[in-house]
Amino acid sequence: MSESVLLRSQHAGVLTLTFNRPEKLNALNVEMTAALLEALEFAERERAVRVVVLRGSGRGFSAGQDLEEFFALRASSSRFSVAEHLRGGYNLAVLKIRSLEKPVIAALNGVAAGVGLSLALACDLRIAGDDAAITLGFSKIGLIPDGGASLFLPLLAGFGRGLELAWTSDRIDAHEAHRLGLVNRVVTAPTLPDEAAAYAQSFTGVSAAALSLTKRAFNRAMLPHLAAWLDEEARIQEEAAAGPDLAEGIRAFAEKRKPAFAR
Ligand code: LHQ
């Protein structure tokens, strides 16, 4: 049997979920997204789980949507809908991360891109190794930030900085991400696993009620329309994906060249 695309380990109240497709920089496919959702549901049910850590195996956190799989899915049916792909997968994971009334921490090693970054931004906290880098990536394939990134990015980094990062897909390092408020802490890369575990552990020694109710209060104060927004974001993405730039962007990525978009 092949190894799971999402590894789970549990120690002293901390459930660690590890994206595990390192040869593809942990690009997210349907199987991995479903496994993430199931693991988050497990974390919600299981009293012994006090904190969740999300991380990536190998040299990156996640490169976002597996573009090869996406291309194949889209080619497989004329009725394939980008909006439904988002609604039935990433959006459910984002909603679960937010509704899970326990801390969810992303531990960022190497690169986080596309909807991989979106999931990290939907988490409560982010700790990064000093080798970490983030790039939105969507604009390079003619898309808008999805998986809630059009909301969480401006919320964390501010409207102008968020829009700039989304438009340019500039790659920024961990220190810049920290300066912009996109990550809470930066640690030296080799210490990230231990530092992330200790960070997570520090939330097991405090009032679980205070943690969960504070998360609920922040959600209600700042994200009261999250579900409706994710739905609308998916609709706009459908519009973006209907143009010619997505296919050219994905082809250019596969051919390791710059895209030549229609003007
Ligand atoms: C990949 C990927 C990948 C497959 C690296 N897929 N193989 C919503 C709605 C509709 C449609 C699509 O998606 C979405 C949500 C999204 O997430 S859209 C954004 C999708 N993500 C991207 O566009 C990022 C694509 N990747 C990159 O730009 C680079 O790989 C980054 C900047 C992440 C890392 O660059 P490098 O460190 O130079 O690594 P690399 O490019 O050499 O990648 C390593 C391998 O992983 C490579 O395979 P190879 O066989 O050549 O070694 C890549 O092809 C593969 N890979 N990302 N998303």
Side-chain angles (χ1 to χ4, degrees), residues 121 126 152-153 155-158 172 174-184:
L121 297 180
R126 284 147 295 279
F152 292 107
L153 182 66
L155 198 61
L156 292 165
I172 62 170
H175 294 292
E176 177 69 355
H178 182 249
R179 208 179 58 74
L180 292 176
L182 292 171
V183 305
N184 298 77

Side-chain angles (χ1 to χ4, degrees), residues 88-142:
Y90 305 121
N91 291 2
L92 297 179
V94 169
L95 288 168
K96 188 55 72 182
I97 289 169
R98 295 306 328 143
S99 65
L100 177 61
E101 291 190 342
K102 301 173 183 182
V104 184
I105 301 172
L108 304 178
N109 61 311
V111 73
V115 78
L117 174 62
S118 309
L119 292 174
L121 297 180
C123 290
D124 298 308
L125 306 167
R126 284 147 295 279
I127 180 169
D130 57 9
D131 65 339
I134 69 169
T135 168
L136 271 296
F138 300 92
S139 63
K140 290 192 172 169
I141 54 171

Side-chain angles (χ1 to χ4, degrees), residues 197-216:
Y199 194 30
Q201 202 73 57
S202 72
F203 295 103
T204 64
V206 298
S207 160
L211 286 177
S212 68
L213 293 174
T214 301
K215 181 164 176 176
R216 191 187 303 175

